[in-house]
Amino acid sequence: MNAKNPYFDDVMATHVLIRQWLGGEVTEPALCSDLLARFSSDYSMVTTSGKQLDQTSLTAFFSTAGGSRPGLKMEIKDLRLIQQSAAGATVSYREIQSLPGAESTERFSTVVYEKTADGALLWRHLHETWAA
């Protein structure tokens, strides 16, 4: 993994915010706003169960889920750059989540980034699949 890859850095930083928000480590609404600002207004997602979400669904989820998973741990591994262009990139990674007293879950994720005119990296699409 190239630690200087801005897309890899963003995957890692976004998951830190997700863990802090869902785990209740940080409860200030500004964290949720910072997290949501990382996602495109055209965001779409396919969850591990096959449910499809859009930006409105994502906002509703994060807005109400702060602190809902106390003790959440997240480990991101095996980041891989699938493609990169001036318009963005596609990155895959493995995500392992655990909660106190529960079995860990593992998923494979692929995020499609869009790069804005000012250079911001936004999550445009995310597809998650449970690991076998």
Side-chain angles (χ1 to χ4, degrees):
M1 178 178 82
N2 176 0
K4 296 200 183 285
N5 182 299
Y7 295 99
F8 292 176
D9 291 346
D10 188 78
V11 167
M12 300 302 284
T14 299
H15 281 85
V16 167
L17 294 177
I18 292 169
R19 180 184 47 76
Q20 290 174 334
W21 180 247
L22 295 180
E25 293 173 39
V26 180
T27 57
E28 290 81 21
L31 178 83
C32 187
S33 296
D34 290 347
L35 175 58
L36 289 169
R38 294 173 171 269
F39 297 89
S40 168
S41 60
D42 294 322
Y43 179 77
S44 61
M45 177 181 180
V46 178
T47 68
T48 54
S49 64
K51 184 177 178 182
Q52 294 188 27
L53 302 177
D54 59 12
Q55 173 64 7
T56 302
S57 305
L58 181 77
T59 299
F61 167 74
F62 278 127
S63 296
T64 60
S68 65
R69 298 180 184 162
L72 175 65
K73 294 188 187 309
M74 301 173 86
E75 183 179 3
I76 306 301
K77 296 178 147 187
D78 304 330
L79 286 113
R80 188 170 67 111
L81 185 65
I82 295 173
Q83 72 81 31
Q84 183 175 352
S85 71
T90 303
V91 174
S92 66
Y93 57 93
R94 190 163 49 118
E95 178 181 338
I96 302 163
Q97 291 188 13
S98 62
L99 288 168
E103 280 192 44
S104 295
T105 60
E106 184 175 346
R107 66 195 78 197
F108 295 104
S109 300
T110 302
V111 59
V112 177
Y113 277 97
E114 67 181 50
K115 190 173 189 178
T116 65
D118 65 359
L121 306 180
L122 298 178
W123 292 52
R124 174 63 180 82
H125 180 77
L126 177 64
H127 191 117
E128 297 183 328
T129 303
W130 289 121

